[in-house]
């Protein structure tokens, strides 16, 4: 699944506040989903840099990695982009280690639905972290944000990402032919959908 970030590096005024947008901290056993803040910039940049080659096959990564030294300005630009999109953004913490990122986009002016995107550092794959984070975020979407539908999209060739919703019994609704362009190449996207009326599965 993709967690697409902006390449806009023009913002220069750094706001030290986190991007809250009613983004509460969520506890999941030994994991914490915490609202991303400007103070997370260096940790975020370090994890993306070390995972850049692997992730860039499936995700359009933010331009702050690894192409600019002005990481905080780029991070602030990313906050502004997500606010305009009505998107909540968490970092996934495994104790003191940054394990990955997860977000919930809720398009305005449409039906009451959301789109989840996520990625994990390679060092934290294979432990069910993404599945637990997605499940917890869907709980929030249905129980507190009162959404009707939550969608996850992943390239059909990205089996590890597709396995995340499948592992928690979310059915594939469709395949969107050439539904996304990543790294200049079209990708067929599998669409997985959970509904409030059938949750938990």
């Amino acid at each position: 699944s993709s967690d697409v970030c902006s390449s806009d590096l023009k913002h220069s005024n750094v706001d030290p506040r986190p991007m809250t947008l009613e983004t509460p901290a969520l506890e999941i056993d030994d994991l914490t989903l915490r609202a991303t803040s400007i103070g997370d910039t260096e940790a975020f940049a370090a994890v993306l840099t070390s995972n850049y080659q692997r992730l860039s096959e499936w995700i359009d990564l933010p331009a702050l990695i690894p192409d600019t030294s002005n990481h905080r300005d780029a991070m602030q630009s990313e906050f502004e982009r997500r606010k305009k999109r009505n998107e909540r953004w968490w970092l996934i913490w495994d104790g003191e280690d940054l394990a990955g990122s997860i977000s919930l986009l809720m398009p305005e002016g449409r039906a009451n639905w959301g789109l989840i995107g996520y990625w994990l550092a390679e060092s934290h794959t294979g432990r069910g972290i993404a599945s637990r984070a997605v499940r917890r975020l869907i709980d929030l979407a249905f129980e507190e944000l009162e959404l009707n539908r939550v969608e996850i999209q992943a390239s059909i060739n990205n089996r590890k990402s597709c396995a995340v919703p499948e592992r928690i019994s979310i059915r594939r609704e469709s395949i969107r032919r050439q539904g996304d362009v990543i790294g200049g190449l079209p990708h067929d996207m599998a669409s997985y959908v959970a509904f409030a009326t059938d949750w938990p599965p």
Side-chain angles (χ1 to χ4, degrees):
S1 176
S2 68
D3 190 346
V4 181
C5 298
S6 172
S7 61
D8 179 9
L9 303 177
K10 295 181 180 179
H11 291 269
S12 58
N13 295 322
V14 174
D15 185 344
R17 296 170 298 176
M19 189 198 76
T20 54
L21 283 179
E22 300 177 5
T23 309
L26 305 174
E27 302 290 337
I28 317 162
D29 301 324
D30 53 335
L31 303 176
T32 302
L33 274 57
R34 192 171 69 226
T36 309
S37 77
I38 202 71
D40 297 318
T41 299
E42 296 311 317
F44 181 72
V47 171
L48 269 188
T49 297
S50 61
N51 288 270
Y52 191 88
Q53 184 173 359
R54 179 178 65 89
L55 292 174
S56 61
E57 185 175 358
W58 310 114
I59 302 170
D60 283 327
L61 293 172
L64 68 139
I65 308 299
D67 300 327
T68 177
S69 60
N70 199 354
H71 287 162
R72 289 203 166 206
D73 283 358
M75 193 75 155
Q76 182 62 26
S77 175
E78 183 63 12
F79 290 153
E80 295 302 323
R81 186 189 72 88
R82 291 180 187 250
K83 284 180 181 179
K84 290 177 182 178
R85 284 159 50 93
N86 196 30
E87 183 174 4
R88 278 84 170 152
W89 181 20
W90 292 260
L91 294 183
I92 305 170
W93 294 90
D94 181 11
E96 297 299 316
D97 296 332
L98 177 54
S101 169
I102 190 166
S103 62
L104 176 64
L105 169 66
M106 297 191 296
E108 294 183 345
R110 297 190 180 188
N112 201 24
W113 71 284
L115 179 66
I116 290 179
Y118 51 84
W119 57 260
L120 288 181
E122 186 171 17
S123 57
H124 287 78
T125 59
R127 296 166 46 196
I129 289 176
S131 296
R132 286 187 284 159
V134 167
R135 179 187 285 274
R136 182 64 185 88
L137 207 54
I138 294 176
D139 287 342
L140 175 78
F142 291 153
E143 295 171 7
E144 299 181 36
L145 301 178
E146 299 183 345
L147 301 187
N148 298 325
R149 166 190 172 105
V150 172
E151 185 173 355
I152 297 164
Q153 296 177 7
S155 170
I156 62 171
N157 295 319
N158 187 352
R159 284 305 310 154
K160 288 185 177 180
S161 191
C162 289
V164 170
E166 292 170 358
R167 195 174 292 120
I168 54 177
S169 301
I170 299 176
R171 293 187 175 185
R172 189 174 76 189
E173 183 180 63
S174 63
I175 294 178
R176 299 169 58 243
R177 295 291 304 275
Q178 299 188 27
D180 202 357
V181 176
I182 303 169
L185 299 175
H187 283 248
D188 293 344
M189 304 297 289
S191 175
Y192 295 86
V193 180
F195 298 93
T197 52
D198 296 323
W199 188 259

